Amino acid sequence: TNLMGTIVNKQIDGEVRKSSRLKIGRNTDKTKTTKKQSRTTPTTEQTTAPPFELVVIESLLGHVCSFESNKVSKLLVTADEILSGISSNFNDKGEGGVKKDAFIEMQAKLGELLPLKNKVDQREAKCTEVAGAIAEVLKNDEDMAAMRLSEIDDNGVEEGDPKNLHVEVELLFEDYLLQMDEVLLSLRTVQNSVKNTEEVVEIELDLLRNRIMRYEMLLELSGLVVGVAAAVTGAFGMNLVNHVEEHPTMFLNVCGGLIVIMCLMGYGILRKLSTDNIF
Amino acid sequence: TNLMGTIVNKQIDGEVRKSSRLKIGRNTDKTKTTKKQSRTTPTTEQTTAPPFELVVIESLLGHVCSFESNKVSKLLVTADEILSGISSNFNDKGEGGVKKDAFIEMQAKLGELLPLKNKVDQREAKCTEVAGAIAEVLKNDEDMAAMRLSEIDDNGVEEGDPKNLHVEVELLFEDYLLQMDEVLLSLRTVQNSVKNTEEVVEIELDLLRNRIMRYEMLLELSGLVVGVAAAVTGAFGMNLVNHVEEHPTMFLNVCGGLIVIMCLMGYGILRKLSTDNIF
Amino acid sequence: TNLMGTIVNKQIDGEVRKSSRLKIGRNTDKTKTTKKQSRTTPTTEQTTAPPFELVVIESLLGHVCSFESNKVSKLLVTADEILSGISSNFNDKGEGGVKKDAFIEMQAKLGELLPLKNKVDQREAKCTEVAGAIAEVLKNDEDMAAMRLSEIDDNGVEEGDPKNLHVEVELLFEDYLLQMDEVLLSLRTVQNSVKNTEEVVEIELDLLRNRIMRYEMLLELSGLVVGVAAAVTGAFGMNLVNHVEEHPTMFLNVCGGLIVIMCLMGYGILRKLSTDNIF
Amino acid sequence: TNLMGTIVNKQIDGEVRKSSRLKIGRNTDKTKTTKKQSRTTPTTEQTTAPPFELVVIESLLGHVCSFESNKVSKLLVTADEILSGISSNFNDKGEGGVKKDAFIEMQAKLGELLPLKNKVDQREAKCTEVAGAIAEVLKNDEDMAAMRLSEIDDNGVEEGDPKNLHVEVELLFEDYLLQMDEVLLSLRTVQNSVKNTEEVVEIELDLLRNRIMRYEMLLELSGLVVGVAAAVTGAFGMNLVNHVEEHPTMFLNVCGGLIVIMCLMGYGILRKLSTDNIF
Amino acid sequence: TNLMGTIVNKQIDGEVRKSSRLKIGRNTDKTKTTKKQSRTTPTTEQTTAPPFELVVIESLLGHVCSFESNKVSKLLVTADEILSGISSNFNDKGEGGVKKDAFIEMQAKLGELLPLKNKVDQREAKCTEVAGAIAEVLKNDEDMAAMRLSEIDDNGVEEGDPKNLHVEVELLFEDYLLQMDEVLLSLRTVQNSVKNTEEVVEIELDLLRNRIMRYEMLLELSGLVVGVAAAVTGAFGMNLVNHVEEHPTMFLNVCGGLIVIMCLMGYGILRKLSTDNIF
């Protein structure tokens, strides 16, 4: 979309309006601006120094934007780290030794997630406010014309028609609005990433829980089968007359019978669970 | 809605405005455009070659649009595959052999879901940005008129009234706005599909978990009943005088009694659970 | 709101504007239109046949609208069936025999829910697109005037002022916009119903799960108590000298003591759970 | 906000426009209208009876509004009852006897929640539609002027300039728009309450589930410890030579040793769980 | 953003319009207003006392705003307390003694969460209403001009052109709109915090549940292994001839064998679970 932006901007402020943009250096190296860099070359019509009030406004706007931009880029790094830490705990599984503390690691990361989310939301509210304030100024031609103090102070009324007067102001504010929009865009990308990660993690946890439960059920099934064996052997261990005390192979008969019964029981229940779509 | 689009477009740009649209071939075969194909036939009024600046803009816009469109169509294929992979694991159940690894397969698919969601969100943000930039140009008649460089360069002022001048530019941008809108529409369809799949999968997992728990409870119930039998037989196995050691049928009495007690206990608890609406 | 609509419409197009609406029959029997039916009676001022281009547009719009309307009404029936199938499984509980397969039935319904949700979302996107296209035409007076081809073809310029010319077109498009709005309204009602059902079903499943877990805990508690008895009886069954082998009532003493201990243990733990607000 | 509304309304229609509002009694006792009650006193300029068409419109609008308002106030009562029924089941816990059926009561309430949510959504859709229809009329000055039938019928054209003509109609529609807005506001408050209740109930259920699971784990831990004892006593109960059959205190040794082992085992596992942040 | 606001405001109402703002003290100490404090110094052009109607409106608006602002700041304190109470229960884990009642404490906090959420939503609805009413007045130049009663009462028509008349009213309402916007902003921050906390708490509870279940499974696994031992020892305890009754080391053989089997079984199952990515 850089390409796109370049065309549109070129058409609007470069060739046609031939506005004498200010030559103030800006510290926006980190956020990729879509403006062309040739803006600071002297234009043909008027090369007068920019009026005092615009220099002041630009420096203030630049300060606010770079302040927010710096904060946001730091947030982005932290967010990336936390989110990749959370999601990697699921995908890296299967390598072995590190797995034991995956849950604990994840819980630590989740402990950092809440302050992160709150910070991103607050930063986003602030940037929206700044962008909203700039946009409001841009919507009102009168207010923008009124900002050209040096044009008014001399004789009380404004020189020239207001339409032309505020072009410089408009371009200045539009530029910084674009910067704030980019900052907002990256904040919203982070919010989306956080939301997506949370949703997927929740389903993964659900999935893992179901798998744990299936194994729990298998263990309980085995426990039941073993319990049946214990009950039967307990019955033969009662101090009562079972009339087969002296039978030479009854011990093996009972043991063998029990093992067969246990296998049949386990198989039968597993079969039933499979029919009911649980396994 | 193709029908609808065709009517509206026919009325607007075909018969009435008789605009001389550019004849540049576009590579939009994959996204179904709602424009009629007869646009490139020579119109009656003026067949002059399109001005240089429009050719450049159209080629740039076409490049951006086809680039996004290609990326999106690839995303759509991946999304379709992953989503159908996730949801099929629930619906295909009941066939048997493949079921064991349904959860593991699903977890693998879920591992792909997070990057997919992030990619779709990022792509949607970019396309929204492009569409927003095009729409902003379309909202401003002045800016569109200012794009007709070849009309201005000669004498400094614009020839003709600005209303007529920008008709060509407007049609050009409207065309690409429509294309971006279609791309956005399919992206949002994917986002909705992902959301729907996630919601349904979560309920399915909940449902499956409840069913597992009901079986777990049955197993625990059986385990309890068997445990009672083990305790009773253990009691008779104590090395204490129970005064029925020599009773000839006491073994069978106790065993029979135990089985009856176990059955009654199991039936009673099941009955209670059924009354409490758990089974 | 029919009442309301009737008043407003009566005021706008019936008495005052006295527009000669087209007399084309429409197949919109199923969707309740808010227009009065007396619209087709001959009005007093001009009873000329409607121009060709309007007849074509109306027939096309009517086709699109009735097509979407039919699809939507079929979707509504399916949605109603699935949703009532899902929610009824919870409310009907307590009748007995059918309950066993409530979960399985519900899972079958949930398998149908995902395609339903995707279909409703797709249909809604399409209808929004159609309604958006109609609304866009309605926003632009010029475009609507340009649609009256028969007024223009004769002498190249439009007869009469454009304000009056497009009244017929405006009424036509407004009518179909209303129809699409109603279709959209019912689609959104379905979306809301689905969302509501899902949310309630999720809470119900959670609630049921908690109840199952409370019973599971009761079973485990009983299992523990029984296990203690088994351990104690096992201790007395050891082939070791316990010095009470010959005590005549020790068997009953131990059994009675065990039962008392089991009751006290069960009561104590239940009491503790009750204090901790679990039961 | 009543204060606020009174100021604004006083300024707009009371002192300045001096409009002759209609003196039709309205049955809006239940919804607190922000209009002052002195509106019906005769104004100074013109006290002519309100024209027929306005009387009709007002009576129809009043009927629609009071109909919706009644339905909504009934819904509010039902919603309040259900929501407080659901949330009270959590907060009232700790009083004792009633607790057993808290879940069942809650499930009954949840069974009522789904129809409630659907009804609120439907009612909200209808009221939004009515409010939208009124707002649409208010946006169009022409349509409002056209409603003053009695001003037009005499000579075909409208008397006076349209700006003044529609002031009465505007005030009338604005009044009912305010009423519908209040109805909508209370509906949205209910929707928010339902959403909030659901979210909190879900977390409470999750929390309760975790607490149940911790107790389940304690029970299982005890069961395991008791099972070890049973296995050891079973070993000594085997009909094999253990060479300590005749040892006089071995019975007490083994029993004491078992109890010590059980305690150590239980303490060790609890300790481990505590280290892993589960207890 | 204070910086930003100061610039914009300075430009608009301070230097350029030179409006004679009212000198009414306001009790907005708590909400940080972005207005400069030098506003109350006498301006150069006209220092006439503010007209009666503006004094009244300002006092009313100030009352409403400070009322809402106070309520909101109290809500913020409560919300902060509850939310930090909820989230701290997760992060403080690992210190020991206090942990036992973390869940119960959290449930108590959750019991306060529902009324808090409802209160915040209601307060937000009210503030939105107030801000909406102020914004609606600001949108209508006519209505604002009509508020300058003292300018109209003398001769029935308004003195001066309406554009200039309403500047004072506009500034007054804009000021209070800004205040309400700040109140709304902090309310929305609270709503976001609540939402974020809920989402993270839900995932933390899910995570904790999975960890509990893994330990439960370990316990069940141990229980199963012990149960096998019990069943085998039970078998040898049966009153049947096993032909090794007199074997001198069979007791140790069986016990040793059992322990080896138990270890192998436990290791094998753990290994299987690890392969299936559960541990």
Side-chain angles (χ1 to χ4, degrees):
Chain A
T1 74
N2 273 0
L3 201 59
M4 186 64 217
T6 313
I7 321 161
V8 177
N9 286 319
K10 194 176 204 133
Q11 293 298 118
I12 294 175
D13 54 283
E15 267 60 40
V16 181
R17 292 188 178 178
K18 289 193 174 55
S19 67
S20 67
R21 281 299 307 269
L22 317 177
K23 287 166 218 157
I24 300 168
R26 252 162 294 147
N27 47 358
T28 59
D29 319 332
K30 278 161 198 161
T31 64
K32 285 172 291 171
T33 57
T34 63
K35 301 282 181 178
K36 61 184 164 138
Q37 297 304 322
S38 60
R39 164 188 302 152
T40 54
T41 57
T43 52
T44 53
E45 281 184 78
Q46 55 201 102
T47 55
T48 59
F52 168 71
E53 64 269 21
L54 288 197
V55 175
V56 170
I57 292 179
E58 172 139 39
S59 118
L60 285 168
L61 282 173
H63 183 78
V64 170
C65 282
S66 72
F67 177 80
E68 297 290 344
S69 168
N70 280 343
K71 288 257 178 164
V72 166
S73 61
K74 270 179 214 154
L75 260 186
L76 292 192
V77 173
T78 322
D80 222 50
E81 203 182 308
I82 295 177
L83 291 182
S84 69
I86 290 175
S87 63
S88 71
N89 278 329
F90 280 111
N91 298 334
D92 294 356
K93 262 177 186 175
E95 293 164 18
V98 236
K99 240 165 318 164
K100 209 104 203 178
D101 40 7
F103 276 123
I104 295 163
E105 224 176 75
M106 206 166 150
Q107 200 167 25
K109 292 283 180 201
L110 279 173
E112 297 169 33
L113 191 60
L114 182 55
L116 172 76
K117 284 174 79 176
N118 284 335
K119 262 187 222 154
V120 170
D121 281 1
Q122 279 164 26
R123 189 61 47 202
E124 200 239 341
K126 268 190 192 156
C127 289
T128 309
E129 224 183 341
V130 173
I134 297 178
E136 204 157 311
V137 173
L138 274 172
K139 265 193 292 185
N140 202 335
D141 285 352
E142 260 177 55
D143 288 357
M144 279 191 291
M147 278 186 194
R148 292 298 313 274
L149 298 184
S150 52
E151 306 274 330
I152 317 170
D153 275 349
D154 300 344
N155 44 11
V157 298
E158 295 153 17
E159 302 166 353
D161 77 313
K163 273 258 157 182
N164 290 344
L165 266 175
H166 67 72
V167 166
E168 280 178 14
V169 184
E170 191 177 345
L171 291 174
L172 180 67
F173 276 83
E174 263 176 5
D175 192 16
Y176 284 105
L177 186 55
L178 267 182
Q179 284 184 33
M180 289 313 295
D181 279 350
E182 272 184 55
V183 170
L184 276 173
L185 190 68
S186 50
L187 277 174
R188 270 167 207 148
T189 306
V190 171
Q191 286 178 324
N192 273 336
S193 289
V194 170
K195 198 167 60 67
N196 289 344
T197 306
E198 283 183 342
E199 286 168 2
V200 169
V201 161
E202 257 177 59
I203 296 188
E204 297 238 25
L205 285 177
D206 273 21
L207 205 56
L208 183 58
R209 192 171 318 140
N210 279 17
R211 289 177 61 211
I212 294 180
M213 288 180 81
R214 296 202 326 178
Y215 279 101
E216 271 193 346
M217 200 163 59
L218 270 187
L219 289 178
E220 280 174 15
L221 174 55
S222 315
L224 173 64
V225 166
V226 167
V228 168
V232 173
T233 56
F236 281 102
M238 291 190 290
N239 294 328
L240 303 172
V241 187
N242 56 30
H243 306 297
V244 288
E245 279 91 353
E246 305 305 324
H247 195 291
T249 60
M250 189 46 89
F251 180 79
L252 296 175
N253 291 358
V254 169
C255 286
L258 264 181
I259 288 170
V260 169
I261 289 173
M262 280 160 72
C263 291
L264 284 179
M265 217 176 130
Y267 178 75
I269 296 177
L270 270 181
R271 184 83 194 245
K272 173 87 178 71
L273 291 178
S274 181
T275 318
D276 288 358
N277 288 331
I278 285 181
F279 275 91
Chain B
T1 74
N2 273 1
L3 200 58
M4 187 61 217
T6 313
I7 321 160
V8 177
N9 286 321
K10 194 176 205 134
Q11 294 297 119
I12 295 174
D13 55 281
E15 265 62 40
V16 181
R17 294 189 178 178
K18 291 191 172 58
S19 67
S20 66
R21 281 300 306 270
L22 317 177
K23 285 166 221 159
I24 300 168
R26 253 162 292 147
N27 48 356
T28 58
D29 319 331
K30 278 159 198 164
T31 64
K32 285 172 290 172
T33 57
T34 61
K35 301 281 179 179
K36 61 188 164 129
Q37 297 303 323
S38 62
R39 165 186 300 153
T40 54
T41 57
T43 52
T44 53
E45 281 184 79
Q46 54 200 101
T47 55
T48 59
F52 168 71
E53 64 268 22
L54 289 196
V55 175
V56 170
I57 292 179
E58 171 138 37
S59 119
L60 285 168
L61 281 173
H63 183 77
V64 170
C65 282
S66 72
F67 177 79
E68 296 291 342
S69 169
N70 280 343
K71 288 257 177 162
V72 166
S73 61
K74 268 178 214 155
L75 259 186
L76 292 191
V77 173
T78 322
D80 222 50
E81 202 182 308
I82 294 177
L83 291 183
S84 69
I86 290 174
S87 63
S88 71
N89 276 330
F90 281 110
N91 297 335
D92 293 355
K93 263 178 185 175
E95 292 164 20
V98 235
K99 238 164 321 163
K100 208 105 203 176
D101 40 7
F103 276 123
I104 295 162
E105 224 177 74
M106 206 166 149
Q107 200 167 25
K109 291 285 179 199
L110 278 174
E112 297 170 33
L113 191 60
L114 182 55
L116 172 76
K117 284 175 79 176
N118 285 335
K119 262 187 222 155
V120 170
D121 282 0
Q122 278 164 26
R123 189 62 47 203
E124 202 238 340
K126 268 190 193 159
C127 290
T128 308
E129 223 183 343
V130 173
I134 298 178
E136 203 157 311
V137 173
L138 275 172
K139 265 194 292 186
N140 202 336
D141 286 352
E142 259 177 55
D143 287 358
M144 279 191 291
M147 279 186 195
R148 292 300 312 273
L149 299 183
S150 53
E151 305 274 330
I152 316 169
D153 274 350
D154 299 345
N155 44 11
V157 299
E158 296 153 17
E159 302 166 352
D161 76 314
K163 274 257 156 183
N164 290 344
L165 267 175
H166 67 72
V167 166
E168 280 179 14
V169 184
E170 191 177 345
L171 291 173
L172 181 67
F173 275 83
E174 263 176 5
D175 192 16
Y176 284 105
L177 185 56
L178 268 181
Q179 283 185 34
M180 288 315 294
D181 279 349
E182 271 184 56
V183 170
L184 275 173
L185 190 68
S186 50
L187 277 175
R188 271 168 206 147
T189 306
V190 171
Q191 285 178 326
N192 273 335
S193 289
V194 170
K195 198 168 60 67
N196 289 343
T197 306
E198 283 182 343
E199 285 168 3
V200 169
V201 160
E202 256 176 59
I203 297 189
E204 297 238 26
L205 284 177
D206 273 21
L207 204 56
L208 184 59
R209 192 171 320 141
N210 279 16
R211 290 178 60 211
I212 294 180
M213 288 180 81
R214 296 202 326 177
Y215 279 102
E216 270 192 348
M217 199 163 60
L218 270 187
L219 289 178
E220 279 174 15
L221 175 54
S222 316
L224 174 64
V225 166
V226 167
V228 168
V232 172
T233 57
F236 281 102
M238 292 189 291
N239 294 327
L240 303 172
V241 188
N242 56 29
H243 306 297
V244 289
E245 279 91 351
E246 306 303 326
H247 195 291
T249 60
M250 188 46 88
F251 181 79
L252 296 176
N253 289 357
V254 168
C255 287
L258 265 180
I259 289 170
V260 170
I261 288 173
M262 281 162 74
C263 291
L264 283 178
M265 218 175 127
Y267 178 75
I269 296 177
L270 270 181
R271 185 81 192 248
K272 174 85 179 72
L273 292 177
S274 181
T275 318
D276 288 357
N277 286 331
I278 285 182
F279 275 91
Chain C
T1 73
N2 273 2
L3 199 58
M4 188 61 219
T6 314
I7 320 161
V8 177
N9 286 321
K10 193 177 206 136
Q11 293 298 120
I12 295 174
D13 53 281
E15 265 62 40
V16 181
R17 294 188 178 177
K18 290 192 172 55
S19 67
S20 65
R21 281 299 305 269
L22 318 176
K23 285 168 221 158
I24 300 166
R26 254 163 292 148
N27 47 358
T28 59
D29 318 332
K30 277 161 200 162
T31 65
K32 286 172 291 172
T33 57
T34 62
K35 300 283 180 180
K36 64 191 161 127
Q37 297 303 323
S38 61
R39 165 186 299 156
T40 55
T41 56
T43 52
T44 53
E45 282 183 77
Q46 55 200 102
T47 55
T48 60
F52 168 71
E53 64 269 21
L54 290 195
V55 176
V56 170
I57 291 179
E58 171 139 37
S59 118
L60 284 167
L61 281 174
H63 182 77
V64 170
C65 282
S66 72
F67 177 79
E68 296 290 343
S69 168
N70 279 344
K71 288 258 177 160
V72 166
S73 61
K74 267 178 213 155
L75 258 186
L76 292 191
V77 172
T78 322
D80 222 49
E81 203 182 308
I82 294 177
L83 290 183
S84 68
I86 289 173
S87 63
S88 71
N89 278 330
F90 280 110
N91 297 333
D92 293 356
K93 261 176 185 178
E95 291 164 20
V98 234
K99 239 163 320 165
K100 209 107 204 175
D101 41 7
F103 277 124
I104 294 162
E105 226 176 72
M106 207 165 147
Q107 200 167 25
K109 290 285 180 197
L110 278 173
E112 297 170 33
L113 191 60
L114 182 55
L116 172 76
K117 285 176 77 176
N118 285 336
K119 261 187 221 153
V120 170
D121 281 0
Q122 278 164 25
R123 190 58 52 199
E124 202 239 339
K126 266 189 194 159
C127 289
T128 308
E129 223 183 343
V130 173
I134 298 178
E136 203 156 312
V137 173
L138 274 172
K139 265 194 291 187
N140 201 336
D141 284 352
E142 259 176 56
D143 287 357
M144 279 191 291
M147 279 187 194
R148 291 301 311 276
L149 301 182
S150 53
E151 305 274 331
I152 315 169
D153 274 350
D154 299 346
N155 43 11
V157 298
E158 294 154 19
E159 300 166 354
D161 76 315
K163 271 259 156 182
N164 291 343
L165 265 175
H166 68 72
V167 166
E168 278 179 15
V169 184
E170 190 179 345
L171 290 173
L172 181 66
F173 275 82
E174 264 177 4
D175 192 15
Y176 285 104
L177 185 56
L178 267 181
Q179 283 185 35
M180 287 315 294
D181 279 349
E182 272 185 55
V183 170
L184 275 173
L185 190 67
S186 50
L187 276 174
R188 272 167 205 149
T189 305
V190 171
Q191 286 179 324
N192 272 335
S193 289
V194 170
K195 196 167 63 67
N196 289 343
T197 305
E198 282 182 344
E199 286 168 4
V200 168
V201 160
E202 256 176 59
I203 297 188
E204 296 239 25
L205 285 176
D206 272 21
L207 205 55
L208 185 59
R209 192 171 320 141
N210 279 16
R211 289 177 61 209
I212 294 180
M213 288 181 81
R214 295 201 327 175
Y215 279 102
E216 270 193 349
M217 199 164 59
L218 270 186
L219 289 178
E220 279 174 14
L221 175 55
S222 316
L224 174 65
V225 166
V226 167
V228 169
V232 172
T233 56
F236 281 101
M238 291 191 291
N239 293 330
L240 302 172
V241 188
N242 57 29
H243 306 297
V244 290
E245 278 92 352
E246 306 304 324
H247 194 292
T249 60
M250 190 46 89
F251 181 79
L252 296 176
N253 290 357
V254 169
C255 287
L258 266 180
I259 289 170
V260 169
I261 288 173
M262 282 160 73
C263 291
L264 284 178
M265 217 175 129
Y267 178 75
I269 296 177
L270 270 181
R271 183 83 192 245
K272 174 84 179 72
L273 292 177
S274 181
T275 318
D276 287 359
N277 288 331
I278 285 181
F279 274 91
Chain D
T1 75
N2 273 1
L3 201 57
M4 188 61 218
T6 314
I7 319 163
V8 178
N9 286 321
K10 193 174 205 138
Q11 294 298 118
I12 295 174
D13 53 283
E15 265 62 40
V16 182
R17 293 188 178 177
K18 290 194 173 56
S19 67
S20 65
R21 282 297 308 266
L22 317 178
K23 289 168 218 158
I24 300 167
R26 250 163 295 147
N27 47 358
T28 60
D29 317 333
K30 277 161 200 161
T31 66
K32 285 172 289 171
T33 59
T34 61
K35 300 283 180 179
K36 65 187 160 132
Q37 297 303 323
S38 60
R39 162 188 302 154
T40 54
T41 57
T43 52
T44 52
E45 282 184 77
Q46 55 199 103
T47 55
T48 59
F52 169 71
E53 65 269 20
L54 289 195
V55 176
V56 170
I57 291 179
E58 171 140 37
S59 117
L60 285 168
L61 280 173
H63 183 77
V64 170
C65 282
S66 71
F67 177 80
E68 297 290 344
S69 168
N70 280 343
K71 288 258 176 160
V72 166
S73 61
K74 268 179 213 153
L75 258 187
L76 293 191
V77 173
T78 322
D80 221 50
E81 204 181 308
I82 294 177
L83 290 183
S84 68
I86 289 173
S87 62
S88 72
N89 278 330
F90 280 111
N91 298 333
D92 294 355
K93 261 177 185 176
E95 291 163 20
V98 237
K99 241 164 316 166
K100 209 105 205 175
D101 39 7
F103 277 124
I104 295 162
E105 226 176 71
M106 207 166 147
Q107 200 167 26
K109 290 285 178 197
L110 278 173
E112 296 169 33
L113 191 61
L114 182 55
L116 172 76
K117 285 176 77 176
N118 284 336
K119 262 186 220 154
V120 169
D121 281 0
Q122 277 163 27
R123 189 58 51 200
E124 202 240 338
K126 267 189 193 160
C127 288
T128 307
E129 222 183 344
V130 173
I134 297 179
E136 203 157 312
V137 173
L138 274 172
K139 265 194 290 186
N140 201 336
D141 285 352
E142 260 177 55
D143 287 358
M144 279 191 290
M147 279 186 195
R148 291 299 313 275
L149 300 183
S150 53
E151 306 275 330
I152 314 169
D153 275 350
D154 300 344
N155 45 11
V157 297
E158 295 154 19
E159 301 165 353
D161 76 314
K163 272 257 156 180
N164 291 343
L165 266 175
H166 68 72
V167 167
E168 280 179 14
V169 184
E170 191 179 345
L171 291 173
L172 180 65
F173 275 83
E174 263 177 5
D175 193 16
Y176 284 104
L177 185 55
L178 268 181
Q179 283 185 35
M180 288 314 294
D181 278 349
E182 272 185 53
V183 170
L184 275 174
L185 189 67
S186 49
L187 276 174
R188 272 166 205 150
T189 306
V190 171
Q191 285 178 324
N192 272 334
S193 290
V194 170
K195 196 167 62 68
N196 289 342
T197 305
E198 283 183 342
E199 285 169 2
V200 169
V201 161
E202 255 177 62
I203 297 188
E204 297 239 24
L205 285 176
D206 272 21
L207 204 55
L208 185 57
R209 194 172 318 141
N210 278 16
R211 289 179 60 212
I212 294 180
M213 288 180 81
R214 295 202 326 176
Y215 280 101
E216 271 193 349
M217 199 163 59
L218 271 187
L219 289 178
E220 278 173 14
L221 174 56
S222 316
L224 174 63
V225 167
V226 166
V228 168
V232 172
T233 56
F236 282 100
M238 291 191 292
N239 294 329
L240 302 172
V241 187
N242 55 29
H243 307 296
V244 289
E245 277 93 351
E246 306 304 326
H247 195 291
T249 60
M250 191 45 91
F251 181 77
L252 295 177
N253 290 358
V254 168
C255 286
L258 265 181
I259 289 172
V260 170
I261 288 172
M262 282 161 72
C263 290
L264 283 178
M265 216 175 130
Y267 177 75
I269 296 177
L270 270 181
R271 184 83 193 246
K272 174 87 178 70
L273 292 177
S274 181
T275 317
D276 288 359
N277 287 331
I278 285 180
F279 275 91
Chain E
T1 75
N2 272 2
L3 200 58
M4 187 62 217
T6 314
I7 322 162
V8 177
N9 286 320
K10 193 174 205 137
Q11 293 300 117
I12 295 173
D13 53 282
E15 266 62 41
V16 181
R17 294 188 178 177
K18 291 193 172 55
S19 67
S20 67
R21 281 298 309 267
L22 316 176
K23 289 166 216 158
I24 300 167
R26 250 162 294 147
N27 47 358
T28 59
D29 319 332
K30 278 162 199 161
T31 65
K32 286 171 290 171
T33 58
T34 63
K35 300 283 181 178
K36 63 186 161 136
Q37 297 303 325
S38 60
R39 162 188 304 154
T40 55
T41 56
T43 52
T44 53
E45 282 184 77
Q46 56 200 102
T47 55
T48 60
F52 169 71
E53 64 269 22
L54 288 195
V55 176
V56 170
I57 291 178
E58 170 139 39
S59 118
L60 285 168
L61 281 174
H63 182 78
V64 170
C65 281
S66 71
F67 177 79
E68 296 291 344
S69 168
N70 280 343
K71 288 258 178 162
V72 166
S73 61
K74 269 179 214 154
L75 259 186
L76 293 192
V77 173
T78 322
D80 222 50
E81 204 182 308
I82 295 177
L83 290 183
S84 68
I86 290 174
S87 64
S88 72
N89 278 330
F90 279 111
N91 297 334
D92 294 355
K93 262 176 185 178
E95 292 163 20
V98 237
K99 241 166 316 167
K100 209 104 205 177
D101 39 8
F103 277 125
I104 295 163
E105 224 176 74
M106 208 166 148
Q107 200 167 27
K109 291 284 178 201
L110 278 173
E112 296 169 35
L113 191 60
L114 182 55
L116 172 75
K117 285 175 79 175
N118 285 335
K119 262 187 220 153
V120 170
D121 280 0
Q122 278 164 26
R123 189 61 48 201
E124 201 240 339
K126 267 190 193 158
C127 290
T128 308
E129 225 183 341
V130 173
I134 297 178
E136 203 156 312
V137 173
L138 274 172
K139 265 194 291 184
N140 201 335
D141 285 352
E142 260 176 55
D143 287 358
M144 278 191 290
M147 279 186 194
R148 291 300 312 275
L149 299 183
S150 52
E151 305 275 330
I152 316 170
D153 275 350
D154 300 343
N155 45 11
V157 298
E158 295 153 17
E159 302 166 353
D161 76 314
K163 273 258 157 181
N164 290 342
L165 266 175
H166 67 72
V167 166
E168 280 178 15
V169 185
E170 191 177 345
L171 290 174
L172 181 67
F173 275 83
E174 263 177 4
D175 192 16
Y176 285 104
L177 186 55
L178 267 181
Q179 284 185 33
M180 289 313 295
D181 278 350
E182 272 184 55
V183 170
L184 276 174
L185 189 67
S186 49
L187 277 174
R188 269 164 209 154
T189 305
V190 171
Q191 286 179 323
N192 272 335
S193 289
V194 170
K195 196 168 61 66
N196 289 343
T197 306
E198 283 183 342
E199 286 168 3
V200 169
V201 160
E202 256 177 60
I203 296 188
E204 298 239 24
L205 285 176
D206 272 22
L207 205 55
L208 184 58
R209 194 171 318 141
N210 279 17
R211 289 179 60 211
I212 295 180
M213 288 180 82
R214 295 202 327 177
Y215 280 101
E216 272 193 347
M217 200 163 60
L218 270 188
L219 289 178
E220 279 174 14
L221 174 55
S222 317
L224 173 63
V225 166
V226 167
V228 168
V232 172
T233 57
F236 281 101
M238 292 191 291
N239 294 328
L240 302 171
V241 187
N242 55 29
H243 306 296
V244 289
E245 277 93 353
E246 305 306 324
H247 195 290
T249 59
M250 190 46 90
F251 180 78
L252 297 174
N253 291 357
V254 169
C255 286
L258 265 181
I259 288 170
V260 169
I261 289 173
M262 280 161 74
C263 290
L264 284 178
M265 217 176 129
Y267 178 75
I269 297 177
L270 270 181
R271 184 84 194 246
K272 173 88 178 70
L273 292 177
S274 181
T275 317
D276 288 359
N277 287 331
I278 285 181
F279 276 92

